[in-house]
Amino acid sequence: MPLSEEQIHAARIGGAQPLTGGRIVLVDYDLLWPNVFVREAARVRSVLGERVLRLEHCGSTSVPGLMAKPIVDMLLEVPDSGDESAYVPPLERAGYVLRIREPDWYQHRVFKGPDTDINLHVFSAGCPEIERMLLFRDWLRTNEAERDLYLRTKRELAPRQWKYTQNYADAKAKVVDEIIVRARQASI
């Protein structure tokens, strides 16, 4: 279900920033994106140490050949993402900025990078959203037809007028959910 403007604002620390120009900018796959992930992952690991239970490259920049917004998405699994005192202060000291707090949705948090355009998504150990995100990534990496469907959807939606990036993400949700259903069926 799409988030309301009130929900979008409530989750964004410092308020939601409307899109400049109202459109999503997609770029061709960049061979440097995996390197950006490796560099940022090393930085996060150096800051958090053993508090990092899992750290994965996710989102469209993790799927070779897929167009994407030029923002590297990372998935960080910590023991308890609701326990901000365990990981937020060290990340902030390293220059990461907490931008999203969604306590009602898997205790999800999102940080922006200190000097690199990333989204660092934080979830608790065992969160079902982790499996869902990685299943989607892995399925798109191995299934050309599904990757093409997702790319067509993104290309169709990106040029439309959007107030917030979240509105674009919500518009893709139906196709993403359908792809995940097929990925789960294939893994049975």
Side-chain angles (χ1 to χ4, degrees):
M1 184 159 129
L3 294 179
S4 68
E5 185 158 348
E6 181 179 288
Q7 290 170 311
I8 292 170
H9 275 285
R12 273 45 179 195
I13 297 166
Q17 302 301 316
L19 279 169
T20 305
R23 288 184 171 80
I24 298 295
V25 175
L26 298 177
V27 299
D28 288 331
Y29 181 80
D30 189 331
L31 293 172
L32 295 177
W33 287 335
N35 298 332
V36 170
F37 167 75
V38 168
R39 186 186 71 236
E40 285 301 313
R43 188 178 347 200
V44 169
R45 287 181 195 285
S46 75
V47 169
L48 294 181
E50 62 188 38
R51 289 170 282 200
V52 175
L53 302 181
R54 184 188 311 190
L55 190 53
E56 299 271 352
H57 189 184
C58 62
S60 293
T61 63
S62 71
V63 180
L66 187 59
M67 290 183 82
K69 298 184 307 292
I71 303 167
V72 172
D73 284 296
M74 301 173 64
L75 187 153
L76 171 62
E77 182 179 353
V78 297
D80 179 3
S81 56
D83 181 9
E84 290 186 8
S85 65
Y87 66 94
V88 172
L91 285 172
E92 287 180 336
R93 283 192 296 275
Y96 291 88
V97 178
L98 181 60
R99 291 291 297 136
I100 296 175
R101 179 183 290 121
E102 295 179 298
D104 296 336
W105 188 69
Y106 301 115
Q107 289 291 337
H108 177 237
R109 308 296 192 266
V110 177
F111 289 82
K112 295 304 282 182
D115 53 20
T116 305
D117 206 356
I118 65 156
N119 290 323
L120 178 63
H121 298 269
V122 184
F123 293 101
S124 298
C127 174
E129 185 62 14
I130 294 170
E131 178 270 333
R132 184 180 176 278
M133 289 173 72
L134 297 179
L135 176 67
F136 184 68
R137 176 200 67 190
D138 294 345
W139 186 243
L140 290 184
R141 283 177 173 176
T142 60
N143 189 299
E144 186 176 353
E146 298 285 28
R147 188 172 52 250
D148 289 347
L149 170 62
Y150 187 51
L151 177 58
R152 283 193 310 274
T153 302
K154 290 168 60 143
R155 281 184 168 152
E156 175 191 316
L157 294 172
R160 294 184 185 174
Q161 285 294 125
W162 304 103
K163 186 165 186 181
Y164 304 109
T165 302
Q166 183 64 49
N167 302 133
Y168 164 75
D170 289 343
K172 295 184 303 178
K174 181 177 184 266
V175 169
V176 169
D177 290 344
E178 290 169 0
I179 291 170
I180 289 171
V181 165
R182 288 188 292 274
R184 283 196 173 119
Q185 289 170 344
S187 67
I188 295 175

